[in-house]
């Protein structure tokens, strides 16, 4: 999946100004893959973290398809695999795809 233009680059305030030291806000992008299917109304999933700009933690927002969800818990089962719970419940089923799959 391609990254949105400018993703991960510093940005200024709404009027394009920066902080007094010249820095801007800095975001990060995580490349996370679903390891197993998620049923409609499910509230948990297992992710394979392919690349992380920041470590996943409760409160972060992620998407399954076109829908947004918020992480509630993150339990690392290995260096690259995390079992998570999220809210709201999945609005539709999601299937896992192998790395590089469309």
């Amino acid at each position: 999946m391609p990254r949105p233009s400018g993703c991960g680059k510093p940005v200024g305030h709404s009027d394009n100004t920066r902080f007094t030291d010249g820095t801007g806000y800095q975001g990060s992008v995580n490349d996370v893959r679903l390891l197993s299917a998620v049923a409609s109304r499910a509230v948990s999933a297992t992710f394979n973290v392919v690349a992380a700009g920041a470590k996943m933690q409760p409160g972060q927002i992620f998407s399954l398809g076109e829908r947004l969800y918020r992480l509630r818990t993150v339990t690392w089962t290995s260096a690259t695999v995390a079992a998570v719970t999220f809210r709201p419940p999945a609005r539709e089923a999601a299937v896992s795809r192998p790395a590089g799959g469309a």
Side-chain angles (χ1 to χ4, degrees):
M1 170 177 260
R3 289 172 67 166
S5 174
C7 222
K9 296 180 182 175
V11 296
H13 303 293
S14 61
D15 63 358
N16 269 345
T17 61
R18 304 278 177 134
F19 293 106
T20 56
D21 65 358
T23 61
Y25 296 97
Q26 181 75 38
S28 62
V29 175
N30 292 342
D31 183 358
V32 178
R33 310 284 166 86
L34 193 58
L35 277 182
S36 60
V38 172
S40 178
R41 307 292 301 155
V43 294
S44 63
T46 303
F47 293 139
N48 178 34
V49 181
V50 177
K55 191 164 185 166
M56 287 191 317
Q57 57 187 331
Q60 287 180 315
I61 305 266
F62 71 98
S63 64
L64 289 175
E66 298 292 321
R67 309 217 185 236
L68 295 177
Y69 301 91
R70 184 178 305 271
L71 292 175
R72 286 195 67 181
T73 64
V74 178
T75 303
W76 292 92
T77 58
S78 77
T80 60
V81 176
V84 303
T85 61
F86 56 88
R87 296 293 185 277
R91 294 173 185 97
E92 58 190 14
V95 296
S96 63
R97 292 197 172 106

